[in-house]
Amino acid sequence: MVNPVKNIQRTAAEYRQMDKKDQRRFWVDGILNNALYILMVIFIIYTAFKNENFLKPGSIVNIISLAAASLPIALGIGGCIVLTGTDLSAGRVVGLSAAISAALLQSPDWANKIFTWLPDLPMATYIVIAIIAVMIVGSIVGFINGFFVAKFSLHPFIVTLATQLITYGAILMFFMSNGNNGQPLSGLSDTYKNFVTGSMIKFQNNVNIPWYVLYAVIMVIAMWFIWNKTTFGKNMFAVGSNAEAANVSGVNVFKTTVMVHTLAGLMYGLTGFIEAARISSISQSTGLNYESDAIAACVIGGVSFVGGTGKISGIVLGVFVLRIIFVALNFLSIDPNLQYIIKGLIILAACSLDMRKYLVRK
Protein backbone atom coordinates (compact mmCIF):
# COMPACT_ATOMS: atom_id res chain seq x y z
CA MET A 1 0.00 0.00 0.00
CA VAL A 2 1.29 3.48 -0.88
CA ASN A 3 2.28 5.59 2.12
CA PRO A 4 1.12 9.19 1.47
CA VAL A 5 3.42 10.58 4.17
CA LYS A 6 6.47 9.08 2.50
CA ASN A 7 5.28 10.45 -0.85
CA ILE A 8 5.00 13.96 0.60
CA GLN A 9 8.43 13.65 2.22
CA ARG A 10 9.95 12.46 -1.06
CA THR A 11 8.32 15.32 -2.98
CA ALA A 12 9.56 17.85 -0.43
CA ALA A 13 13.09 16.43 -0.64
CA GLU A 14 13.03 16.62 -4.45
CA TYR A 15 11.74 20.20 -4.27
CA ARG A 16 14.63 21.29 -2.01
CA GLN A 17 17.11 19.88 -4.53
CA MET A 18 15.67 22.01 -7.35
CA ASP A 19 17.19 25.32 -8.34
CA LYS A 20 15.05 28.46 -8.13
CA LYS A 21 13.98 28.27 -11.78
CA ASP A 22 12.74 24.69 -11.40
CA GLN A 23 11.01 25.60 -8.15
CA ARG A 24 9.13 28.41 -9.88
CA ARG A 25 8.14 26.03 -12.66
CA PHE A 26 7.00 23.51 -10.05
CA TRP A 27 4.59 26.05 -8.52
CA VAL A 28 3.42 27.38 -11.88
CA ASP A 29 2.70 23.87 -13.17
CA GLY A 30 0.87 22.99 -9.96
CA ILE A 31 -1.31 26.08 -10.15
CA LEU A 32 -2.10 25.67 -13.86
CA ASN A 33 -2.84 21.95 -13.57
CA ASN A 34 -5.32 22.62 -10.77
CA ALA A 35 -6.54 26.02 -11.95
CA LEU A 36 -10.16 24.95 -12.37
CA TYR A 37 -10.37 23.57 -8.85
CA ILE A 38 -8.66 26.62 -7.38
CA LEU A 39 -11.05 28.93 -9.21
CA MET A 40 -13.98 26.80 -8.10
CA VAL A 41 -13.03 27.17 -4.43
CA ILE A 42 -12.74 30.94 -4.88
CA PHE A 43 -16.08 30.96 -6.71
CA ILE A 44 -17.80 29.00 -3.91
CA ILE A 45 -16.48 31.38 -1.27
CA TYR A 46 -17.59 34.40 -3.31
CA THR A 47 -21.07 32.92 -3.93
CA ALA A 48 -21.52 32.04 -0.25
CA PHE A 49 -20.53 35.59 0.68
CA LYS A 50 -23.01 37.10 -1.81
CA ASN A 51 -25.86 34.69 -0.99
CA GLU A 52 -25.86 32.93 2.36
CA ASN A 53 -28.45 30.40 1.16
CA PHE A 54 -25.89 28.79 -1.15
CA LEU A 55 -24.34 26.64 1.60
CA LYS A 56 -27.57 25.80 3.40
CA PRO A 57 -28.66 22.13 3.58
CA GLY A 58 -31.38 22.58 0.96
CA SER A 59 -28.92 23.94 -1.57
CA ILE A 60 -26.33 21.24 -0.83
CA VAL A 61 -28.92 18.47 -1.24
CA ASN A 62 -30.07 20.09 -4.48
CA ILE A 63 -26.49 20.00 -5.81
CA ILE A 64 -26.14 16.34 -4.80
CA SER A 65 -29.44 15.48 -6.51
CA LEU A 66 -28.55 17.32 -9.72
CA ALA A 67 -25.14 15.65 -9.80
CA ALA A 68 -26.71 12.22 -9.28
CA ALA A 69 -29.06 12.79 -12.22
CA SER A 70 -26.12 13.72 -14.45
CA LEU A 71 -23.73 10.97 -13.35
CA PRO A 72 -24.98 8.03 -15.47
CA ILE A 73 -24.58 9.82 -18.81
CA ALA A 74 -21.14 11.11 -17.77
CA LEU A 75 -20.06 7.62 -16.70
CA GLY A 76 -21.08 6.32 -20.12
CA ILE A 77 -19.51 9.03 -22.23
CA GLY A 78 -16.31 8.85 -20.18
CA GLY A 79 -15.46 5.49 -21.74
CA CYS A 80 -15.87 6.92 -25.23
CA ILE A 81 -13.45 9.74 -24.35
CA VAL A 82 -10.92 7.22 -22.99
CA LEU A 83 -10.94 5.75 -26.51
CA THR A 84 -10.03 9.24 -27.85
CA GLY A 85 -13.58 9.66 -29.11
CA THR A 86 -16.83 11.28 -28.02
CA ASP A 87 -20.58 10.69 -28.35
CA LEU A 88 -22.86 13.38 -29.73
CA SER A 89 -25.88 11.05 -29.68
CA ALA A 90 -25.93 10.71 -25.88
CA GLY A 91 -28.47 13.46 -25.19
CA ARG A 92 -30.91 12.25 -27.81
CA VAL A 93 -30.68 8.68 -26.53
CA VAL A 94 -31.56 10.06 -23.10
CA GLY A 95 -34.54 11.83 -24.67
CA LEU A 96 -35.76 8.70 -26.47
CA SER A 97 -35.33 6.58 -23.33
CA ALA A 98 -37.21 9.16 -21.27
CA ALA A 99 -40.07 9.13 -23.78
CA ILE A 100 -40.25 5.33 -23.75
CA SER A 101 -40.22 5.27 -19.94
CA ALA A 102 -42.96 7.90 -19.74
CA ALA A 103 -45.14 6.15 -22.31
CA LEU A 104 -44.91 2.84 -20.46
CA LEU A 105 -45.42 4.34 -17.02
CA GLN A 106 -48.30 6.77 -17.44
CA SER A 107 -51.10 6.37 -14.91
CA PRO A 108 -53.74 3.84 -16.01
CA ASP A 109 -56.48 6.47 -15.67
CA TRP A 110 -54.60 9.18 -17.57
CA ALA A 111 -56.81 10.46 -20.39
CA ASN A 112 -54.03 11.06 -22.93
CA LYS A 113 -52.14 7.78 -22.64
CA ILE A 114 -49.98 7.11 -25.69
CA PHE A 115 -50.04 3.31 -25.20
CA THR A 116 -53.76 2.74 -24.67
CA TRP A 117 -53.42 -0.94 -25.56
CA LEU A 118 -51.20 -1.88 -22.60
CA PRO A 119 -52.67 -4.71 -20.47
CA ASP A 120 -53.63 -4.09 -16.85
CA LEU A 121 -50.49 -5.17 -15.01
CA PRO A 122 -49.01 -4.00 -11.68
CA MET A 123 -47.07 -0.77 -12.09
CA ALA A 124 -44.01 -2.44 -10.52
CA THR A 125 -44.01 -4.85 -13.48
CA TYR A 126 -44.06 -1.95 -15.93
CA ILE A 127 -41.16 -0.32 -14.08
CA VAL A 128 -39.08 -3.45 -14.67
CA ILE A 129 -40.22 -3.56 -18.31
CA ALA A 130 -39.31 0.11 -18.77
CA ILE A 131 -35.83 -0.37 -17.28
CA ILE A 132 -35.17 -3.34 -19.56
CA ALA A 133 -36.58 -1.45 -22.57
CA VAL A 134 -34.42 1.65 -22.13
CA MET A 135 -31.33 -0.47 -21.51
CA ILE A 136 -31.98 -2.36 -24.74
CA VAL A 137 -32.70 0.78 -26.77
CA GLY A 138 -29.63 2.58 -25.42
CA SER A 139 -27.43 -0.46 -25.97
CA ILE A 140 -28.61 -0.80 -29.58
CA VAL A 141 -27.69 2.80 -30.39
CA GLY A 142 -24.37 2.37 -28.58
CA PHE A 143 -23.68 -0.87 -30.45
CA ILE A 144 -24.32 0.86 -33.78
CA ASN A 145 -21.94 3.66 -32.79
CA GLY A 146 -19.22 1.23 -31.74
CA PHE A 147 -19.67 -1.02 -34.77
CA PHE A 148 -19.23 1.75 -37.34
CA VAL A 149 -16.33 3.29 -35.42
CA ALA A 150 -14.51 -0.04 -35.11
CA LYS A 151 -15.47 -1.73 -38.39
CA PHE A 152 -14.98 1.17 -40.80
CA SER A 153 -12.49 3.28 -38.80
CA LEU A 154 -14.88 6.22 -38.89
CA HIS A 155 -14.33 9.07 -36.46
CA PRO A 156 -16.76 8.89 -33.51
CA PHE A 157 -17.74 12.51 -34.14
CA ILE A 158 -19.19 11.61 -37.55
CA VAL A 159 -20.80 8.34 -36.47
CA THR A 160 -22.47 9.78 -33.37
CA LEU A 161 -23.57 12.88 -35.26
CA ALA A 162 -25.39 10.56 -37.66
CA THR A 163 -26.99 8.50 -34.89
CA GLN A 164 -27.90 11.72 -33.08
CA LEU A 165 -29.98 12.77 -36.11
CA ILE A 166 -31.44 9.29 -36.53
CA THR A 167 -32.41 9.10 -32.86
CA TYR A 168 -33.95 12.56 -32.96
CA GLY A 169 -36.02 11.51 -35.96
CA ALA A 170 -37.18 8.46 -34.00
CA ILE A 171 -38.14 10.73 -31.09
CA LEU A 172 -40.25 12.98 -33.35
CA MET A 173 -42.01 9.96 -34.86
CA PHE A 174 -42.59 8.47 -31.42
CA PHE A 175 -44.30 11.65 -30.20
CA MET A 176 -46.57 11.64 -33.26
CA SER A 177 -47.65 8.02 -32.79
CA ASN A 178 -51.08 6.84 -31.59
CA GLY A 179 -52.65 10.25 -32.10
CA ASN A 180 -50.36 12.02 -29.61
CA ASN A 181 -49.59 14.69 -32.24
CA GLY A 182 -46.33 15.79 -30.65
CA GLN A 183 -47.81 16.59 -27.22
CA PRO A 184 -45.56 16.26 -24.15
CA LEU A 185 -45.89 13.02 -22.22
CA SER A 186 -47.12 13.55 -18.68
CA GLY A 187 -49.46 11.97 -16.15
CA LEU A 188 -46.78 9.61 -14.89
CA SER A 189 -47.66 6.99 -12.33
CA ASP A 190 -47.08 7.92 -8.69
CA THR A 191 -45.45 4.52 -8.18
CA TYR A 192 -42.87 5.32 -10.84
CA LYS A 193 -42.20 8.82 -9.52
CA ASN A 194 -41.86 7.55 -5.96
CA PHE A 195 -39.50 4.80 -7.11
CA VAL A 196 -37.16 7.38 -8.65
CA THR A 197 -37.74 10.71 -6.92
CA GLY A 198 -39.32 9.59 -3.65
CA SER A 199 -37.58 10.50 -0.40
CA MET A 200 -34.82 8.10 0.57
CA ILE A 201 -33.64 10.24 3.49
CA LYS A 202 -35.66 13.02 5.06
CA PHE A 203 -34.23 15.98 6.93
CA GLN A 204 -35.91 18.83 8.70
CA ASN A 205 -37.37 21.75 6.74
CA ASN A 206 -38.61 19.44 3.94
CA VAL A 207 -35.09 18.63 2.72
CA ASN A 208 -35.12 15.17 1.11
CA ILE A 209 -32.54 13.03 -0.69
CA PRO A 210 -34.32 11.16 -3.52
CA TRP A 211 -33.88 7.48 -4.31
CA TYR A 212 -32.10 8.10 -7.59
CA VAL A 213 -29.08 9.34 -5.62
CA LEU A 214 -28.69 5.77 -4.36
CA TYR A 215 -29.11 4.42 -7.90
CA ALA A 216 -26.36 6.78 -9.07
CA VAL A 217 -24.05 5.55 -6.29
CA ILE A 218 -24.70 1.94 -7.36
CA MET A 219 -23.87 2.81 -10.98
CA VAL A 220 -20.67 4.58 -9.90
CA ILE A 221 -19.56 1.49 -7.95
CA ALA A 222 -20.44 -0.80 -10.86
CA MET A 223 -18.55 1.33 -13.38
CA TRP A 224 -15.56 1.64 -11.04
CA PHE A 225 -15.43 -2.15 -10.83
CA ILE A 226 -15.71 -2.53 -14.61
CA TRP A 227 -13.00 0.05 -15.30
CA ASN A 228 -10.54 -1.11 -12.66
CA LYS A 229 -11.13 -4.77 -11.91
CA THR A 230 -12.05 -6.40 -15.21
CA THR A 231 -10.12 -7.42 -18.30
CA PHE A 232 -12.51 -5.30 -20.33
CA GLY A 233 -11.49 -2.19 -18.38
CA LYS A 234 -7.79 -2.90 -18.86
CA ASN A 235 -8.36 -3.47 -22.58
CA MET A 236 -10.30 -0.20 -22.84
CA PHE A 237 -7.37 1.80 -21.47
CA ALA A 238 -4.94 -0.14 -23.65
CA VAL A 239 -6.94 0.64 -26.80
CA GLY A 240 -7.29 4.27 -25.76
CA SER A 241 -3.54 4.61 -25.19
CA ASN A 242 -2.47 2.95 -28.44
CA ALA A 243 -4.89 0.84 -30.46
CA GLU A 244 -2.18 -0.65 -32.70
CA ALA A 245 -0.01 -1.67 -29.76
CA ALA A 246 -3.04 -3.13 -28.02
CA ASN A 247 -3.91 -5.15 -31.12
CA VAL A 248 -0.37 -6.53 -31.31
CA SER A 249 -0.60 -7.44 -27.62
CA GLY A 250 -3.63 -9.61 -28.30
CA VAL A 251 -6.41 -7.19 -27.36
CA ASN A 252 -9.51 -7.48 -29.54
CA VAL A 253 -9.77 -3.81 -30.51
CA PHE A 254 -13.01 -4.26 -32.44
CA LYS A 255 -14.78 -6.04 -29.57
CA THR A 256 -13.50 -3.59 -26.97
CA THR A 257 -14.59 -0.53 -28.98
CA VAL A 258 -18.06 -1.95 -29.57
CA MET A 259 -18.46 -2.93 -25.91
CA VAL A 260 -17.40 0.52 -24.66
CA HIS A 261 -19.98 2.28 -26.84
CA THR A 262 -22.66 -0.32 -26.02
CA LEU A 263 -22.07 0.15 -22.29
CA ALA A 264 -22.24 3.92 -22.81
CA GLY A 265 -25.60 3.56 -24.57
CA LEU A 266 -26.90 1.44 -21.71
CA MET A 267 -25.98 4.22 -19.27
CA TYR A 268 -27.76 6.79 -21.45
CA GLY A 269 -30.87 4.63 -21.31
CA LEU A 270 -30.80 4.53 -17.51
CA THR A 271 -30.29 8.30 -17.48
CA GLY A 272 -33.47 8.69 -19.52
CA PHE A 273 -35.40 6.43 -17.15
CA ILE A 274 -34.39 8.63 -14.19
CA GLU A 275 -34.86 11.89 -16.09
CA ALA A 276 -38.44 11.12 -17.10
CA ALA A 277 -39.54 10.72 -13.48
CA ARG A 278 -37.46 13.69 -12.38
CA ILE A 279 -38.97 16.23 -14.79
CA SER A 280 -42.44 14.57 -15.07
CA SER A 281 -43.23 16.12 -18.45
CA ILE A 282 -41.23 14.83 -21.41
CA SER A 283 -41.09 16.64 -24.74
CA GLN A 284 -39.16 16.25 -27.99
CA SER A 285 -36.43 18.52 -26.63
CA THR A 286 -35.74 16.41 -23.54
CA GLY A 287 -32.07 15.45 -23.54
CA LEU A 288 -30.99 18.34 -25.77
CA ASN A 289 -27.30 19.17 -25.19
CA TYR A 290 -27.03 16.79 -22.23
CA GLU A 291 -23.90 15.37 -23.82
CA SER A 292 -22.14 18.74 -23.64
CA ASP A 293 -22.45 18.83 -19.84
CA ALA A 294 -21.31 15.20 -19.62
CA ILE A 295 -18.27 15.83 -21.82
CA ALA A 296 -17.36 18.94 -19.83
CA ALA A 297 -17.65 17.02 -16.55
CA CYS A 298 -15.41 14.22 -17.83
CA VAL A 299 -12.73 16.62 -19.07
CA ILE A 300 -12.84 18.63 -15.83
CA GLY A 301 -12.46 15.32 -13.98
CA GLY A 302 -9.31 14.39 -15.88
CA VAL A 303 -10.60 12.07 -18.60
CA SER A 304 -8.27 13.03 -21.43
CA PHE A 305 -9.15 13.28 -25.11
CA VAL A 306 -5.62 12.07 -25.92
CA GLY A 307 -6.85 8.66 -24.76
CA GLY A 308 -6.05 6.05 -22.19
CA THR A 309 -6.44 8.36 -19.19
CA GLY A 310 -9.31 8.73 -16.77
CA LYS A 311 -10.79 7.68 -13.45
CA ILE A 312 -14.34 7.14 -12.26
CA SER A 313 -13.56 9.26 -9.20
CA GLY A 314 -12.49 12.06 -11.54
CA ILE A 315 -15.78 11.87 -13.45
CA VAL A 316 -17.73 12.06 -10.20
CA LEU A 317 -15.67 15.07 -9.12
CA GLY A 318 -16.13 16.72 -12.53
CA VAL A 319 -19.91 16.28 -12.39
CA PHE A 320 -20.05 17.83 -8.92
CA VAL A 321 -17.79 20.74 -9.94
CA LEU A 322 -20.00 21.51 -12.92
CA ARG A 323 -23.22 21.31 -10.91
CA ILE A 324 -21.80 23.51 -8.17
CA ILE A 325 -20.86 26.12 -10.77
CA PHE A 326 -24.30 26.08 -12.42
CA VAL A 327 -26.18 26.25 -9.12
CA ALA A 328 -23.91 29.08 -7.97
CA LEU A 329 -24.62 31.01 -11.18
CA ASN A 330 -28.34 30.80 -10.41
CA PHE A 331 -27.78 32.00 -6.86
CA LEU A 332 -25.85 34.95 -8.28
CA SER A 333 -28.79 35.68 -10.64
CA ILE A 334 -26.60 35.38 -13.73
CA ASP A 335 -28.53 35.70 -17.01
CA PRO A 336 -29.42 32.13 -18.22
CA ASN A 337 -28.26 33.09 -21.71
CA LEU A 338 -24.88 34.11 -20.34
CA GLN A 339 -24.60 30.76 -18.59
CA TYR A 340 -24.22 29.06 -21.98
CA ILE A 341 -21.22 31.28 -22.71
CA ILE A 342 -19.71 30.43 -19.33
CA LYS A 343 -20.32 26.73 -19.96
CA GLY A 344 -18.51 26.96 -23.29
CA LEU A 345 -15.58 28.79 -21.71
CA ILE A 346 -15.33 26.09 -19.03
CA ILE A 347 -15.13 23.35 -21.67
CA LEU A 348 -12.54 25.32 -23.65
CA ALA A 349 -10.43 25.96 -20.54
CA ALA A 350 -10.66 22.35 -19.37
CA CYS A 351 -9.62 20.97 -22.76
CA SER A 352 -6.75 23.48 -23.01
CA LEU A 353 -5.41 22.52 -19.58
CA ASP A 354 -5.80 18.84 -20.44
CA MET A 355 -3.79 19.26 -23.64
CA ARG A 356 -1.16 21.25 -21.78
CA LYS A 357 -0.66 18.36 -19.33
CA TYR A 358 -0.29 15.98 -22.28
CA LEU A 359 2.29 18.17 -24.02
CA VAL A 360 4.29 18.54 -20.80
CA ARG A 361 4.35 14.75 -20.30
CA LYS A 362 5.29 14.26 -23.94
Side-chain angles (χ1 to χ4, degrees), residues 96-163:
L96 179 59
S97 301
I100 292 171
S101 299
L104 288 171
L105 295 167
Q106 288 178 304
S107 298
D109 57 350
W110 186 249
N112 297 321
K113 285 189 67 174
I114 191 170
F115 290 160
T116 55
W117 44 266
L118 288 175
D120 186 15
L121 297 175
M123 191 54 62
T125 302
Y126 278 117
I127 289 176
V128 175
I129 293 173
I131 293 173
I132 294 173
V134 297
M135 290 172 66
I136 291 173
V137 170
S139 296
I140 289 173
V141 178
F143 176 85
I144 293 171
N145 288 335
F147 178 82
F148 278 92
V149 169
K151 182 68 174 179
F152 301 105
S153 298
L154 297 175
H155 196 284
F157 181 93
I158 299 299
V159 175
T160 58
L161 175 62
T163 51

Side-chain angles (χ1 to χ4, degrees), residues 33-108:
N33 290 340
N34 298 283
L36 285 174
Y37 301 115
I38 295 171
L39 291 173
M40 187 199 70
V41 172
I42 296 172
F43 187 55
I44 289 174
I45 295 172
Y46 173 78
T47 305
F49 178 77
K50 297 290 288 185
N51 192 327
E52 61 181 13
N53 293 323
F54 179 60
L55 294 181
K56 287 188 175 180
S59 175
I60 294 173
V61 169
N62 181 46
I63 291 171
I64 292 172
S65 301
L66 290 172
S70 303
L71 265 172
I73 184 174
L75 293 170
I77 212 166
C80 302
I81 297 175
V82 168
L83 294 184
T84 70
T86 187
D87 194 340
L88 301 181
S89 68
R92 291 306 185 185
V93 177
V94 170
L96 179 59
S97 301
I100 292 171
S101 299
L104 288 171
L105 295 167
Q106 288 178 304
S107 298

Side-chain angles (χ1 to χ4, degrees), residues 241-281:
S241 298
N242 190 321
E244 293 183 4
N247 187 49
V248 172
S249 301
V251 175
N252 189 328
V253 176
F254 174 85
K255 180 180 178 181
T256 301
T257 303
V258 171
M259 287 181 64
V260 168
H261 284 273
T262 302
L263 178 60
L266 185 149
M267 298 302 291
Y268 307 155
L270 292 175
T271 304
F273 175 82
I274 292 173
E275 191 67 4
R278 198 176 71 87
I279 64 179
S280 295
S281 181

Side-chain angles (χ1 to χ4, degrees), residues 1-16:
M1 183 176 178
V2 178
N3 189 330
V5 176
K6 289 184 177 180
N7 282 342
I8 293 172
Q9 291 173 344
R10 185 170 61 250
T11 303
E14 292 172 351
Y15 176 78
R16 286 193 295 269

Side-chain angles (χ1 to χ4, degrees), residues 316-345:
V316 174
L317 180 61
V319 169
F320 270 96
V321 167
L322 210 59
R323 288 300 143 197
I324 289 171
I325 291 172
F326 293 161
V327 170
L329 291 174
N330 288 326
F331 270 97
L332 294 173
S333 301
I334 302 298
D335 185 348
N337 297 324
L338 181 59
Q339 291 185 26
Y340 284 101
I341 297 175
I342 295 173
K343 186 186 300 185
L345 291 174

